Amino acid sequence: MFRFFKGMIGFRKAHPSIARNRFWREDVAWYGTGTHVDLTDHSHTLAYCLHGESQKDSDLYVMINAYSEELTFRVQEGRPEDWRRAVDTSLPSPQDIAEPGQGVRLKNLDVRVGARSVVVLEGCRELRTRSRSMSGARHKQERRHRRGG
C-alpha cells in the first residue's frame, strides 16, 4: 500500500493540471462508458478527459467504475497510441501503478475497468508534442502559401 500511495503522490506532482489553483472549466470533458455522461442518482460510472495543455502538462483520461461488475469504457478522445495506462486499481501490486512514462500503451480504445476500480490513462507526451509541432509547421506553411511566398 505504501508503494501505491508513494506512486500516486509522484503522479500528482508530475501533473500540474491536477492541482491547479482554479477549477478545470474549459479543460475538462465529461463522459460515461461511452459518449454520454450519466449524472442520475443510480449511475455507477464516470469518465473524464482533463486536457493539460494550458498547464504545460499531458492529458489525463480517468475512468471510474463504482459498479459491482467489470465494465468496458470507450475512450472518447485520441487514438490508442496516444495513451498509456498509468493507474489501474484492479490490478495486483506492482502492476496497479506504473513508473512515470512507463505505462502500458493502449492497443485499442476499449478499456476494461474492473469492478469498483479506477483506471487513469496518461497522454503520451512525445506524440502530443510531435503532433503539435507538425500542425504548427503546417499552419505556417499555409500562411506562407496564402501570402504567395
Side-chain angles (χ1 to χ4, degrees), residues 35-66:
T35 311
H36 303 289
V37 63
D38 180 359
L39 297 175
T40 62
D41 290 342
H42 63 276
S43 175
H44 292 94
T45 61
L46 182 65
Y48 63 90
C49 185
L50 180 58
H51 302 108
E53 191 169 11
S54 70
Q55 305 297 307
K56 296 179 178 52
D57 192 8
S58 58
D59 293 345
L60 300 173
Y61 199 97
V62 179
M63 295 163 278
I64 304 164
N65 178 10

PDB file of all heavy atoms in Angstrom, residues 35-66:
ATOM      1  N   THR A  35     -19.962   7.986 -25.038  1.00  0.00           N
ATOM      2  CA  THR A  35     -20.006   9.420 -25.309  1.00  0.00           C
ATOM      3  C   THR A  35     -20.746  10.225 -24.247  1.00  0.00           C
ATOM      4  O   THR A  35     -20.334  11.307 -23.877  1.00  0.00           O
ATOM      5  CB  THR A  35     -20.704   9.679 -26.666  1.00  0.00           C
ATOM      6  OG1 THR A  35     -20.125   8.832 -27.637  1.00  0.00           O
ATOM      7  CG2 THR A  35     -20.545  11.114 -27.105  1.00  0.00           C
ATOM      8  N   HIS A  36     -21.838   9.682 -23.743  1.00  0.00           N
ATOM      9  CA  HIS A  36     -22.720  10.446 -22.865  1.00  0.00           C
ATOM     10  C   HIS A  36     -22.472  10.137 -21.389  1.00  0.00           C
ATOM     11  O   HIS A  36     -22.361   8.985 -20.992  1.00  0.00           O
ATOM     12  CB  HIS A  36     -24.189  10.175 -23.205  1.00  0.00           C
ATOM     13  CG  HIS A  36     -24.500  10.486 -24.643  1.00  0.00           C
ATOM     14  ND1 HIS A  36     -24.541  11.777 -25.121  1.00  0.00           N
ATOM     15  CD2 HIS A  36     -24.735   9.684 -25.696  1.00  0.00           C
ATOM     16  CE1 HIS A  36     -24.806  11.747 -26.407  1.00  0.00           C
ATOM     17  NE2 HIS A  36     -24.927  10.488 -26.796  1.00  0.00           N
ATOM     18  N   VAL A  37     -22.428  11.191 -20.603  1.00  0.00           N
ATOM     19  CA  VAL A  37     -22.267  11.046 -19.161  1.00  0.00           C
ATOM     20  C   VAL A  37     -23.638  10.848 -18.526  1.00  0.00           C
ATOM     21  O   VAL A  37     -24.608  11.497 -18.915  1.00  0.00           O
ATOM     22  CB  VAL A  37     -21.529  12.265 -18.554  1.00  0.00           C
ATOM     23  CG1 VAL A  37     -22.300  13.543 -18.739  1.00  0.00           C
ATOM     24  CG2 VAL A  37     -21.209  12.031 -17.100  1.00  0.00           C
ATOM     25  N   ASP A  38     -23.731   9.926 -17.580  1.00  0.00           N
ATOM     26  CA  ASP A  38     -24.975   9.663 -16.853  1.00  0.00           C
ATOM     27  C   ASP A  38     -24.830  10.255 -15.460  1.00  0.00           C
ATOM     28  O   ASP A  38     -24.082   9.735 -14.636  1.00  0.00           O
ATOM     29  CB  ASP A  38     -25.225   8.152 -16.776  1.00  0.00           C
ATOM     30  CG  ASP A  38     -26.501   7.796 -16.027  1.00  0.00           C
ATOM     31  OD1 ASP A  38     -27.207   8.710 -15.544  1.00  0.00           O
ATOM     32  OD2 ASP A  38     -26.787   6.592 -15.917  1.00  0.00           O
ATOM     33  N   LEU A  39     -25.522  11.351 -15.191  1.00  0.00           N
ATOM     34  CA  LEU A  39     -25.431  12.015 -13.896  1.00  0.00           C
ATOM     35  C   LEU A  39     -26.625  11.719 -12.996  1.00  0.00           C
ATOM     36  O   LEU A  39     -26.850  12.439 -12.027  1.00  0.00           O
ATOM     37  CB  LEU A  39     -25.274  13.530 -14.098  1.00  0.00           C
ATOM     38  CG  LEU A  39     -23.991  13.956 -14.828  1.00  0.00           C
ATOM     39  CD1 LEU A  39     -23.994  15.461 -15.071  1.00  0.00           C
ATOM     40  CD2 LEU A  39     -22.759  13.526 -14.064  1.00  0.00           C
ATOM     41  N   THR A  40     -27.360  10.660 -13.297  1.00  0.00           N
ATOM     42  CA  THR A  40     -28.504  10.310 -12.466  1.00  0.00           C
ATOM     43  C   THR A  40     -28.030   9.697 -11.146  1.00  0.00           C
ATOM     44  O   THR A  40     -26.881   9.289 -11.009  1.00  0.00           O
ATOM     45  CB  THR A  40     -29.423   9.301 -13.185  1.00  0.00           C
ATOM     46  OG1 THR A  40     -28.686   8.099 -13.426  1.00  0.00           O
ATOM     47  CG2 THR A  40     -29.950   9.877 -14.497  1.00  0.00           C
ATOM     48  N   ASP A  41     -28.962   9.616 -10.189  1.00  0.00           N
ATOM     49  CA  ASP A  41     -28.630   9.081  -8.865  1.00  0.00           C
ATOM     50  C   ASP A  41     -28.184   7.626  -8.900  1.00  0.00           C
ATOM     51  O   ASP A  41     -27.430   7.186  -8.035  1.00  0.00           O
ATOM     52  CB  ASP A  41     -29.833   9.202  -7.926  1.00  0.00           C
ATOM     53  CG  ASP A  41     -30.118  10.643  -7.546  1.00  0.00           C
ATOM     54  OD1 ASP A  41     -29.222  11.494  -7.712  1.00  0.00           O
ATOM     55  OD2 ASP A  41     -31.236  10.917  -7.076  1.00  0.00           O
ATOM     56  N   HIS A  42     -28.628   6.855  -9.882  1.00  0.00           N
ATOM     57  CA  HIS A  42     -28.304   5.436  -9.917  1.00  0.00           C
ATOM     58  C   HIS A  42     -27.084   5.103 -10.792  1.00  0.00           C
ATOM     59  O   HIS A  42     -26.735   3.944 -10.950  1.00  0.00           O
ATOM     60  CB  HIS A  42     -29.522   4.618 -10.366  1.00  0.00           C
ATOM     61  CG  HIS A  42     -29.962   4.947 -11.762  1.00  0.00           C
ATOM     62  ND1 HIS A  42     -30.793   5.999 -12.040  1.00  0.00           N
ATOM     63  CD2 HIS A  42     -29.661   4.369 -12.940  1.00  0.00           C
ATOM     64  CE1 HIS A  42     -30.999   6.044 -13.340  1.00  0.00           C
ATOM     65  NE2 HIS A  42     -30.318   5.083 -13.918  1.00  0.00           N
ATOM     66  N   SER A  43     -26.422   6.117 -11.330  1.00  0.00           N
ATOM     67  CA  SER A  43     -25.251   5.885 -12.174  1.00  0.00           C
ATOM     68  C   SER A  43     -24.080   5.357 -11.338  1.00  0.00           C
ATOM     69  O   SER A  43     -23.884   5.754 -10.194  1.00  0.00           O
ATOM     70  CB  SER A  43     -24.828   7.180 -12.864  1.00  0.00           C
ATOM     71  OG  SER A  43     -23.634   6.969 -13.582  1.00  0.00           O
ATOM     72  N   HIS A  44     -23.310   4.464 -11.926  1.00  0.00           N
ATOM     73  CA  HIS A  44     -22.139   3.887 -11.257  1.00  0.00           C
ATOM     74  C   HIS A  44     -20.846   4.153 -12.028  1.00  0.00           C
ATOM     75  O   HIS A  44     -19.807   3.587 -11.706  1.00  0.00           O
ATOM     76  CB  HIS A  44     -22.308   2.380 -11.103  1.00  0.00           C
ATOM     77  CG  HIS A  44     -23.387   1.998 -10.157  1.00  0.00           C
ATOM     78  ND1 HIS A  44     -24.674   1.715 -10.581  1.00  0.00           N
ATOM     79  CD2 HIS A  44     -23.392   1.870  -8.818  1.00  0.00           C
ATOM     80  CE1 HIS A  44     -25.411   1.413  -9.533  1.00  0.00           C
ATOM     81  NE2 HIS A  44     -24.658   1.501  -8.445  1.00  0.00           N
ATOM     82  N   THR A  45     -20.910   4.990 -13.048  1.00  0.00           N
ATOM     83  CA  THR A  45     -19.733   5.223 -13.887  1.00  0.00           C
ATOM     84  C   THR A  45     -19.549   6.705 -14.188  1.00  0.00           C
ATOM     85  O   THR A  45     -20.517   7.468 -14.246  1.00  0.00           O
ATOM     86  CB  THR A  45     -19.841   4.476 -15.229  1.00  0.00           C
ATOM     87  OG1 THR A  45     -20.992   4.944 -15.934  1.00  0.00           O
ATOM     88  CG2 THR A  45     -19.934   2.978 -15.027  1.00  0.00           C
ATOM     89  N   LEU A  46     -18.301   7.061 -14.393  1.00  0.00           N
ATOM     90  CA  LEU A  46     -17.962   8.416 -14.800  1.00  0.00           C
ATOM     91  C   LEU A  46     -16.588   8.357 -15.450  1.00  0.00           C
ATOM     92  O   LEU A  46     -15.707   7.617 -14.998  1.00  0.00           O
ATOM     93  CB  LEU A  46     -17.918   9.363 -13.598  1.00  0.00           C
ATOM     94  CG  LEU A  46     -17.606  10.833 -13.900  1.00  0.00           C
ATOM     95  CD1 LEU A  46     -18.717  11.472 -14.726  1.00  0.00           C
ATOM     96  CD2 LEU A  46     -17.401  11.603 -12.613  1.00  0.00           C
ATOM     97  N   ALA A  47     -16.413   9.118 -16.510  1.00  0.00           N
ATOM     98  CA  ALA A  47     -15.106   9.257 -17.145  1.00  0.00           C
ATOM     99  C   ALA A  47     -14.930  10.723 -17.509  1.00  0.00           C
ATOM    100  O   ALA A  47     -15.899  11.449 -17.718  1.00  0.00           O
ATOM    101  CB  ALA A  47     -15.012   8.387 -18.396  1.00  0.00           C
ATOM    102  N   TYR A  48     -13.692  11.137 -17.535  1.00  0.00           N
ATOM    103  CA  TYR A  48     -13.410  12.498 -17.984  1.00  0.00           C
ATOM    104  C   TYR A  48     -12.015  12.573 -18.570  1.00  0.00           C
ATOM    105  O   TYR A  48     -11.141  11.772 -18.260  1.00  0.00           O
ATOM    106  CB  TYR A  48     -13.586  13.530 -16.861  1.00  0.00           C
ATOM    107  CG  TYR A  48     -12.653  13.383 -15.686  1.00  0.00           C
ATOM    108  CD1 TYR A  48     -11.414  14.026 -15.669  1.00  0.00           C
ATOM    109  CD2 TYR A  48     -13.013  12.627 -14.581  1.00  0.00           C
ATOM    110  CE1 TYR A  48     -10.568  13.913 -14.594  1.00  0.00           C
ATOM    111  CE2 TYR A  48     -12.177  12.512 -13.493  1.00  0.00           C
ATOM    112  CZ  TYR A  48     -10.953  13.153 -13.496  1.00  0.00           C
ATOM    113  OH  TYR A  48     -10.104  13.033 -12.421  1.00  0.00           O
ATOM    114  N   CYS A  49     -11.853  13.541 -19.453  1.00  0.00           N
ATOM    115  CA  CYS A  49     -10.547  13.831 -20.025  1.00  0.00           C
ATOM    116  C   CYS A  49     -10.154  15.216 -19.532  1.00  0.00           C
ATOM    117  O   CYS A  49     -10.873  16.194 -19.776  1.00  0.00           O
ATOM    118  CB  CYS A  49     -10.578  13.785 -21.547  1.00  0.00           C
ATOM    119  SG  CYS A  49      -8.934  13.992 -22.280  1.00  0.00           S
ATOM    120  N   LEU A  50      -9.059  15.285 -18.817  1.00  0.00           N
ATOM    121  CA  LEU A  50      -8.536  16.559 -18.337  1.00  0.00           C
ATOM    122  C   LEU A  50      -7.407  16.969 -19.284  1.00  0.00           C
ATOM    123  O   LEU A  50      -6.364  16.325 -19.333  1.00  0.00           O
ATOM    124  CB  LEU A  50      -8.016  16.427 -16.907  1.00  0.00           C
ATOM    125  CG  LEU A  50      -7.430  17.682 -16.281  1.00  0.00           C
ATOM    126  CD1 LEU A  50      -8.448  18.824 -16.273  1.00  0.00           C
ATOM    127  CD2 LEU A  50      -6.955  17.383 -14.868  1.00  0.00           C
ATOM    128  N   HIS A  51      -7.664  18.009 -20.065  1.00  0.00           N
ATOM    129  CA  HIS A  51      -6.684  18.484 -21.038  1.00  0.00           C
ATOM    130  C   HIS A  51      -5.617  19.295 -20.308  1.00  0.00           C
ATOM    131  O   HIS A  51      -5.947  20.247 -19.611  1.00  0.00           O
ATOM    132  CB  HIS A  51      -7.366  19.318 -22.120  1.00  0.00           C
ATOM    133  CG  HIS A  51      -8.436  18.543 -22.822  1.00  0.00           C
ATOM    134  ND1 HIS A  51      -9.775  18.799 -22.637  1.00  0.00           N
ATOM    135  CD2 HIS A  51      -8.364  17.486 -23.658  1.00  0.00           C
ATOM    136  CE1 HIS A  51     -10.481  17.942 -23.360  1.00  0.00           C
ATOM    137  NE2 HIS A  51      -9.653  17.134 -23.984  1.00  0.00           N
ATOM    138  N   GLY A  52      -4.382  18.924 -20.478  1.00  0.00           N
ATOM    139  CA  GLY A  52      -3.305  19.532 -19.705  1.00  0.00           C
ATOM    140  C   GLY A  52      -2.540  20.637 -20.393  1.00  0.00           C
ATOM    141  O   GLY A  52      -1.657  21.239 -19.796  1.00  0.00           O
ATOM    142  N   GLU A  53      -2.866  20.924 -21.643  1.00  0.00           N
ATOM    143  CA  GLU A  53      -2.072  21.884 -22.418  1.00  0.00           C
ATOM    144  C   GLU A  53      -1.955  23.246 -21.744  1.00  0.00           C
ATOM    145  O   GLU A  53      -0.877  23.845 -21.736  1.00  0.00           O
ATOM    146  CB  GLU A  53      -2.640  22.030 -23.822  1.00  0.00           C
ATOM    147  CG  GLU A  53      -1.727  22.796 -24.736  1.00  0.00           C
ATOM    148  CD  GLU A  53      -2.167  22.705 -26.189  1.00  0.00           C
ATOM    149  OE1 GLU A  53      -3.284  22.235 -26.463  1.00  0.00           O
ATOM    150  OE2 GLU A  53      -1.372  23.118 -27.038  1.00  0.00           O
ATOM    151  N   SER A  54      -3.014  23.751 -21.141  1.00  0.00           N
ATOM    152  CA  SER A  54      -2.960  25.073 -20.515  1.00  0.00           C
ATOM    153  C   SER A  54      -2.006  25.101 -19.323  1.00  0.00           C
ATOM    154  O   SER A  54      -1.565  26.165 -18.909  1.00  0.00           O
ATOM    155  CB  SER A  54      -4.354  25.525 -20.074  1.00  0.00           C
ATOM    156  OG  SER A  54      -4.801  24.750 -18.979  1.00  0.00           O
ATOM    157  N   GLN A  55      -1.680  23.930 -18.794  1.00  0.00           N
ATOM    158  CA  GLN A  55      -0.756  23.819 -17.659  1.00  0.00           C
ATOM    159  C   GLN A  55       0.595  23.243 -18.087  1.00  0.00           C
ATOM    160  O   GLN A  55       1.398  22.834 -17.256  1.00  0.00           O
ATOM    161  CB  GLN A  55      -1.371  22.925 -16.579  1.00  0.00           C
ATOM    162  CG  GLN A  55      -2.732  23.368 -16.108  1.00  0.00           C
ATOM    163  CD  GLN A  55      -2.685  24.719 -15.443  1.00  0.00           C
ATOM    164  OE1 GLN A  55      -1.909  24.926 -14.526  1.00  0.00           O
ATOM    165  NE2 GLN A  55      -3.514  25.645 -15.909  1.00  0.00           N
ATOM    166  N   LYS A  56       0.800  23.148 -19.412  1.00  0.00           N
ATOM    167  CA  LYS A  56       2.009  22.528 -19.982  1.00  0.00           C
ATOM    168  C   LYS A  56       2.178  21.102 -19.458  1.00  0.00           C
ATOM    169  O   LYS A  56       3.246  20.680 -19.024  1.00  0.00           O
ATOM    170  CB  LYS A  56       3.242  23.382 -19.686  1.00  0.00           C
ATOM    171  CG  LYS A  56       3.199  24.739 -20.349  1.00  0.00           C
ATOM    172  CD  LYS A  56       4.416  25.562 -20.002  1.00  0.00           C
ATOM    173  CE  LYS A  56       4.449  26.900 -20.676  1.00  0.00           C
ATOM    174  NZ  LYS A  56       3.318  27.750 -20.584  1.00  0.00           N
ATOM    175  N   ASP A  57       1.097  20.373 -19.504  1.00  0.00           N
ATOM    176  CA  ASP A  57       1.025  19.005 -18.984  1.00  0.00           C
ATOM    177  C   ASP A  57       0.413  18.109 -20.049  1.00  0.00           C
ATOM    178  O   ASP A  57      -0.200  18.585 -21.010  1.00  0.00           O
ATOM    179  CB  ASP A  57       0.147  19.009 -17.720  1.00  0.00           C
ATOM    180  CG  ASP A  57       0.228  17.725 -16.922  1.00  0.00           C
ATOM    181  OD1 ASP A  57       1.069  16.866 -17.242  1.00  0.00           O
ATOM    182  OD2 ASP A  57      -0.562  17.588 -15.966  1.00  0.00           O
ATOM    183  N   SER A  58       0.563  16.820 -19.885  1.00  0.00           N
ATOM    184  CA  SER A  58      -0.091  15.873 -20.784  1.00  0.00           C
ATOM    185  C   SER A  58      -1.556  15.723 -20.378  1.00  0.00           C
ATOM    186  O   SER A  58      -1.943  16.066 -19.261  1.00  0.00           O
ATOM    187  CB  SER A  58       0.623  14.513 -20.747  1.00  0.00           C
ATOM    188  OG  SER A  58       0.643  14.011 -19.433  1.00  0.00           O
ATOM    189  N   ASP A  59      -2.368  15.228 -21.290  1.00  0.00           N
ATOM    190  CA  ASP A  59      -3.772  14.968 -20.997  1.00  0.00           C
ATOM    191  C   ASP A  59      -3.895  13.740 -20.105  1.00  0.00           C
ATOM    192  O   ASP A  59      -3.065  12.834 -20.158  1.00  0.00           O
ATOM    193  CB  ASP A  59      -4.550  14.716 -22.289  1.00  0.00           C
ATOM    194  CG  ASP A  59      -4.636  15.945 -23.178  1.00  0.00           C
ATOM    195  OD1 ASP A  59      -4.353  17.066 -22.698  1.00  0.00           O
ATOM    196  OD2 ASP A  59      -4.990  15.783 -24.355  1.00  0.00           O
ATOM    197  N   LEU A  60      -4.955  13.705 -19.315  1.00  0.00           N
ATOM    198  CA  LEU A  60      -5.278  12.553 -18.479  1.00  0.00           C
ATOM    199  C   LEU A  60      -6.705  12.125 -18.787  1.00  0.00           C
ATOM    200  O   LEU A  60      -7.586  12.972 -18.919  1.00  0.00           O
ATOM    201  CB  LEU A  60      -5.160  12.904 -16.993  1.00  0.00           C
ATOM    202  CG  LEU A  60      -3.789  13.370 -16.519  1.00  0.00           C
ATOM    203  CD1 LEU A  60      -3.867  13.834 -15.068  1.00  0.00           C
ATOM    204  CD2 LEU A  60      -2.759  12.269 -16.685  1.00  0.00           C
ATOM    205  N   TYR A  61      -6.914  10.822 -18.904  1.00  0.00           N
ATOM    206  CA  TYR A  61      -8.251  10.288 -19.135  1.00  0.00           C
ATOM    207  C   TYR A  61      -8.538   9.345 -17.974  1.00  0.00           C
ATOM    208  O   TYR A  61      -7.813   8.370 -17.762  1.00  0.00           O
ATOM    209  CB  TYR A  61      -8.312   9.540 -20.466  1.00  0.00           C
ATOM    210  CG  TYR A  61      -9.719   9.348 -20.985  1.00  0.00           C
ATOM    211  CD1 TYR A  61     -10.250  10.214 -21.933  1.00  0.00           C
ATOM    212  CD2 TYR A  61     -10.520   8.305 -20.529  1.00  0.00           C
ATOM    213  CE1 TYR A  61     -11.540  10.048 -22.416  1.00  0.00           C
ATOM    214  CE2 TYR A  61     -11.809   8.132 -21.008  1.00  0.00           C
ATOM    215  CZ  TYR A  61     -12.316   9.005 -21.941  1.00  0.00           C
ATOM    216  OH  TYR A  61     -13.602   8.833 -22.415  1.00  0.00           O
ATOM    217  N   VAL A  62      -9.568   9.654 -17.196  1.00  0.00           N
ATOM    218  CA  VAL A  62      -9.884   8.919 -15.981  1.00  0.00           C
ATOM    219  C   VAL A  62     -11.218   8.211 -16.156  1.00  0.00           C
ATOM    220  O   VAL A  62     -12.199   8.821 -16.564  1.00  0.00           O
ATOM    221  CB  VAL A  62      -9.940   9.874 -14.765  1.00  0.00           C
ATOM    222  CG1 VAL A  62     -10.304   9.120 -13.499  1.00  0.00           C
ATOM    223  CG2 VAL A  62      -8.610  10.613 -14.611  1.00  0.00           C
ATOM    224  N   MET A  63     -11.239   6.905 -15.824  1.00  0.00           N
ATOM    225  CA  MET A  63     -12.463   6.103 -15.907  1.00  0.00           C
ATOM    226  C   MET A  63     -12.739   5.514 -14.531  1.00  0.00           C
ATOM    227  O   MET A  63     -11.887   4.816 -13.970  1.00  0.00           O
ATOM    228  CB  MET A  63     -12.291   4.987 -16.945  1.00  0.00           C
ATOM    229  CG  MET A  63     -12.125   5.537 -18.355  1.00  0.00           C
ATOM    230  SD  MET A  63     -11.441   4.342 -19.508  1.00  0.00           S
ATOM    231  CE  MET A  63      -9.703   4.497 -19.132  1.00  0.00           C
ATOM    232  N   ILE A  64     -13.927   5.788 -14.008  1.00  0.00           N
ATOM    233  CA  ILE A  64     -14.308   5.351 -12.671  1.00  0.00           C
ATOM    234  C   ILE A  64     -15.488   4.399 -12.785  1.00  0.00           C
ATOM    235  O   ILE A  64     -16.534   4.757 -13.325  1.00  0.00           O
ATOM    236  CB  ILE A  64     -14.699   6.569 -11.800  1.00  0.00           C
ATOM    237  CG1 ILE A  64     -13.543   7.582 -11.775  1.00  0.00           C
ATOM    238  CG2 ILE A  64     -15.093   6.120 -10.397  1.00  0.00           C
ATOM    239  CD1 ILE A  64     -13.943   8.955 -11.293  1.00  0.00           C
ATOM    240  N   ASN A  65     -15.304   3.193 -12.261  1.00  0.00           N
ATOM    241  CA  ASN A  65     -16.369   2.187 -12.274  1.00  0.00           C
ATOM    242  C   ASN A  65     -16.728   1.841 -10.830  1.00  0.00           C
ATOM    243  O   ASN A  65     -16.002   1.115 -10.160  1.00  0.00           O
ATOM    244  CB  ASN A  65     -15.909   0.919 -13.008  1.00  0.00           C
ATOM    245  CG  ASN A  65     -16.970  -0.165 -12.998  1.00  0.00           C
ATOM    246  OD1 ASN A  65     -18.107   0.064 -12.607  1.00  0.00           O
ATOM    247  ND2 ASN A  65     -16.590  -1.362 -13.429  1.00  0.00           N
ATOM    248  N   ALA A  66     -17.843   2.358 -10.339  1.00  0.00           N
ATOM    249  CA  ALA A  66     -18.311   2.059  -8.991  1.00  0.00           C
ATOM    250  C   ALA A  66     -19.309   0.904  -8.989  1.00  0.00           C
ATOM    251  O   ALA A  66     -19.882   0.574  -7.953  1.00  0.00           O
ATOM    252  CB  ALA A  66     -18.941   3.309  -8.369  1.00  0.00           C
TER     253      ALA A  66
END
